[in-house]
Each structure stands twice: as C-alpha cells, then as structure tokens.
Amino acid sequence: WVDQKVVYYHAQELKYGENVRVIEAFVYANKDRLQALRKARELGDARIRCVTGMQALVRRRQAQQKVRPLLRRNSSVLTIQKNWRISQIHRALESQRFRRVSAVSIQT
C-alpha cells in the first residue's frame, strides 16, 4: 500500500478531480445561501424538538391521569392481600402453639 499510495491518489484525482472542483466552486459561490439554509433547517429542527418535548409532556400527563386511579386501586388490593396473609400467618402460628400446648399437656 505504501508503494501504491501515490499512484492510487493520482488515479482518484484524475477520475474525480473535475467533479470535486465543480462542487467546491458551487459551494464557494453559494456559501451565504447555504449558510442561510442551514440556519433555517436548524431553526426548524429546534422548533420540532420543542413541539416534540411539549407533546411528550402532554402524553405523560394524560398517561398519569389514566394510570393513577389504577395504581390507587392496585395499592388497596395489595394492602388487603398483605393484611389477609398476615392474618393467615397469625392463625397458623396460633394453631401450632395450640398443638404444642396440647401435646405437652397430653404427655404430662
């Protein structure tokens, strides 16, 4: 590659050189208009980002309003389930304690 690099770049210059010069001349001649177009595009992109951000906020708020009652209901259900499980554990412990006391009283 080191030996052929000069040959390669010379061939590329011969093949694409004129086209590159035409494009560079166009860009140089229309530099101000191209900068104005780029600024307009960037301004449009900024507006789109702002609108997208606002839409995201509105959609988030709407989703919160839909989900919040479900979460409240779900937390109520979880509280009921937790209390039920606690009562079941207490019953099981009392039952075990009663069996131990009964077994001890039978053995003595």
Side-chain angles (χ1 to χ4, degrees), residues 4-67:
Q4 299 297 320
K5 185 164 66 169
V6 174
V7 175
Y8 173 78
Y9 283 123
H10 180 68
Q12 294 299 312
E13 171 66 29
L14 291 176
K15 189 173 184 180
Y16 298 111
E18 183 59 32
N19 295 334
V20 170
R21 282 188 283 283
V22 168
I23 292 171
E24 287 176 345
F26 173 80
V27 169
Y28 184 75
N30 297 304
K31 186 186 283 186
D32 295 333
R33 287 179 22 196
L34 291 172
Q35 286 178 349
L37 283 173
R38 185 176 66 221
K39 286 182 183 179
R41 186 188 73 234
E42 289 172 354
L43 180 63
D45 290 347
R47 286 182 182 156
I48 289 172
R49 282 192 301 273
C50 289
V51 168
T52 303
M54 289 173 25
Q55 286 176 345
L57 290 173
V58 169
R59 288 183 181 138
R60 176 179 171 230
R61 178 73 178 143
Q62 289 173 342
Q64 282 178 343
Q65 288 175 347
K66 287 180 182 178
V67 169

